[in-house]
Amino acid sequence: MSDPHRHHHHDRDHDHDHDHELPHPDRSPTTRRRRWAHRIAHRLTPHSHESADKLDPALESSARGLRALWVSLAVLGATALLQAAVVVVSGSVALLGDTVHNTADALTAVPLGIAFVLGRRAATRRFTYGYGRAEDLAGVVVVLTITASAVLAAWTAVDRLLDPRPVAHVPAVAVAALVGFAGNEWVARHRIRVGREIGSAALVADGLHARTDGYTSLAVLLGAGGTALGWRLADPIVGLAITAAIVLVLRDAAREVFRRLMDAVDPALVDRAEQVLDEVPGVRGVGELRLRWIGHRLRAEVALVVDGEATVREAHRIAVAAEHALLHAVPRLTAALVHADPAPSPGEADPHLALAHHAAA
């Protein structure tokens, strides 16, 4: 994904400025003045390193997310097909609820896959931060899918409680339940691991969804055992237990997605960022510090206090060093916008005083 703030007209290494420009026949005084004006403007602009060496890991994380989704889709799709065949011949409502849940879990790979692909698109004049938020919207789709599967499982179980029917081919139901557990647990481990490694809340939520499916498959196995012992209500009661399990995972997934939509971050990341910034030579204090997720990538905005007598070049050097330290210290951080404030002098007016009435509004 191209970063929305990448300066295409700048060299990759800001420290080298434009020392490596190719020879140009136009060396007139006007051209030299323009070049120096460009350099000064570059030094005065708050910086966000958006070089290719940081974009490559971000693109790779999207590719890993896509691979995890397609593998999950294949495994869960095969599991759901096998279970559906057993549902047709057995009439087990508990297995039907598990099959519906597995199918829904497999299909959530589609909106997540679309979101990962969208997130790799270049930023535009309208979407200046890019399309990373599509991943968070996909997380909402996952939550709605879990909700729909819970409603369907509950409705089916209640209907069977009111109108009990025998379950045929109980051994086949038991085997299908074991297959469902194995497939879901494998997919859950894979999704959660990759999601946490790349910082995708939506993928982690989908992994939790799959893990619950695995436990509900074991519940189906218990229902099959009860049916084999002659307890006709075992199947629908297990169906209700499955519904309760789905509701629990719905709560966890909804909380995870809601926090991401509200730009929540782990406070430990903020503490780590402040600690690293305080250790950068030339930094006298850390003012405002903000972190936010855009998809599975972090961005930072920070105001630093530097020596009020520092030159523009020196303040710029400190800002770049601070950003560099953040990029190494904060996992999955891909960009930081650093602003340098002069340390106050006795009797000096607050340089931000002109902005105070805007902040109050």
Side-chain angles (χ1 to χ4, degrees), residues 13-356:
D13 188 346
H14 291 283
D15 294 335
H16 288 94
D17 218 349
H18 290 277
D19 294 339
H20 301 296
E21 290 178 349
L22 294 175
H24 196 283
D26 187 355
R27 293 297 182 187
S28 65
T30 300
T31 301
R32 287 196 293 270
R33 284 197 298 271
R34 288 176 179 172
R35 184 170 291 110
W36 276 108
H38 174 77
R39 290 185 180 184
I40 292 172
H42 169 64
R43 295 290 184 181
L44 289 171
T45 303
H47 275 276
S48 176
H49 278 281
E50 310 299 335
S51 53
D53 57 344
K54 290 181 299 183
L55 291 175
D56 289 344
L59 290 173
E60 174 60 24
S61 66
S62 294
R64 290 188 62 196
L66 282 170
R67 285 195 297 270
L69 288 172
W70 301 140
V71 170
S72 301
L73 178 61
V75 173
L76 289 179
T79 301
L81 284 175
L82 186 147
Q83 289 185 316
V86 177
V87 168
V88 170
V89 300
S90 67
S92 169
V93 69
L95 186 60
L96 173 62
D98 195 36
T99 303
V100 168
H101 202 183
N102 283 335
T103 303
D105 198 12
L107 292 179
T108 55
V110 176
L112 279 172
I114 294 173
F116 277 119
V117 172
L118 278 176
R120 301 172 73 175
R121 292 181 60 182
T124 65
R125 298 283 290 180
R126 183 178 297 275
F127 297 98
T128 56
Y129 278 96
Y131 294 82
R133 284 289 189 183
E135 188 177 325
D136 300 327
L137 293 177
V140 175
V141 174
V142 171
V143 170
L144 293 176
T145 302
I146 299 173
T147 303
S149 62
V151 171
L152 180 58
W155 181 84
T156 308
V158 170
D159 178 68
R160 188 59 61 89
L161 272 175
L162 298 176
D163 183 19
R165 301 166 212 169
V167 175
H169 303 287
V170 174
V173 173
V175 171
L178 288 173
V179 171
F181 170 75
N184 278 290
E185 181 59 22
W186 187 90
V187 166
R189 289 174 179 269
H190 188 56
R191 285 180 177 176
I192 292 172
R193 178 176 58 80
V194 175
R196 286 176 176 166
E197 287 175 357
I198 69 174
S200 173
L203 192 56
V204 171
D206 218 20
L208 293 171
H209 186 192
R211 172 152 289 163
T212 302
D213 284 353
Y215 293 142
T216 57
S217 293
L218 288 181
V220 172
L221 183 62
L222 293 176
T227 301
L229 295 175
W231 188 25
R232 295 185 64 182
L233 294 181
D235 189 61
I237 288 176
V238 167
L240 288 175
I242 289 174
T243 302
I246 296 173
V247 170
L248 290 177
V249 79
L250 173 63
R251 180 198 62 185
D252 293 339
R255 181 173 54 199
E256 187 81 15
V257 172
F258 174 77
R259 286 177 176 174
R260 187 59 61 88
L261 289 173
M262 293 297 293
D263 285 333
V265 296
D266 185 352
L269 288 178
V270 181
D271 294 339
R272 174 61 177 158
E274 288 180 338
Q275 177 186 354
V276 168
L277 290 170
D278 278 329
E279 295 173 354
V280 174
V283 173
R284 292 195 172 186
V286 179
E288 189 175 52
L289 172 60
R290 296 181 179 180
L291 296 173
R292 73 184 303 193
W293 288 98
I294 300 179
H296 52 271
R297 303 177 182 94
L298 271 174
R299 297 184 69 92
E301 297 176 7
V302 58
L304 301 177
V305 178
V306 300
D307 185 356
E309 302 303 319
T311 65
V312 173
R313 291 182 182 275
E314 178 64 14
H316 173 268
R317 185 196 64 76
I318 296 171
V320 171
E323 182 183 1
H324 193 202
L326 280 178
L327 291 170
H328 280 286
V330 180
R332 294 182 288 277
L333 181 70
T334 58
L337 189 65
V338 182
H339 174 78
D341 286 329
S345 299
E348 182 184 29
D350 184 354
H352 300 107
L353 193 59
L355 304 175

